[in-house]
Amino acid sequence: EFYGKGAPYNALAGKDSTRGVAKMSLDPADLTHDIEGLTEEELKSLDDIFNNVYKAKYPIVGYTSRRILNEDGSPNLDFKPEDQPHFNIKDEF
């Protein structure tokens, strides 16, 4: 109800919107993985939201293509879910 078509947070769905979450922004320019230039407060907020909201409520079901594909679209053979930030495989299974 929050992330579907026409819902309030639909702009966050299907992409790495890390910057937007940290800034509490739905501005299209902020809907990116780029955290460069975020303040310490924004980074702390991001960590809190991820751990206390997203990770607490939703299972990890996939990753954005930026993590699993190379820039040319080929599979990133070095990708390992257990090496991803904030990911603890025991939390998910």
Side-chain angles (χ1 to χ4, degrees):
E1 74 187 75
F2 294 107
Y3 299 95
K5 188 174 183 178
Y9 299 131
N10 179 255
L12 301 173
K15 63 180 70 89
D16 187 336
S17 301
T18 301
R19 183 178 199 81
V21 172
K23 295 176 67 84
M24 301 297 243
S25 169
L26 294 176
D27 182 326
D30 289 329
L31 301 180
T32 177
H33 69 279
D34 185 11
I35 61 170
E36 187 174 326
L38 292 179
T39 66
E40 286 299 317
E41 184 177 315
E42 289 168 334
L43 291 171
K44 180 171 181 348
S45 174
L46 176 62
D47 200 46
D48 289 345
I49 290 167
F50 183 84
N51 285 307
N52 299 324
V53 178
Y54 293 134
K55 194 171 176 183
K57 289 175 74 173
Y58 308 110
I60 294 173
V61 296
Y63 297 92
T64 59
S65 62
R66 186 180 65 81
R67 292 193 186 275
I68 62 174
L69 299 177
N70 296 313
E71 286 188 33
D72 66 1
S74 64
N76 176 1
L77 300 177
D78 295 324
F79 176 82
K80 295 180 183 142
E82 61 271 16
D83 292 342
Q84 299 308 299
H86 303 295
F87 183 78
N88 183 338
I89 202 159
K90 289 183 266 180
D91 292 342
E92 303 305 318
F93 302 102

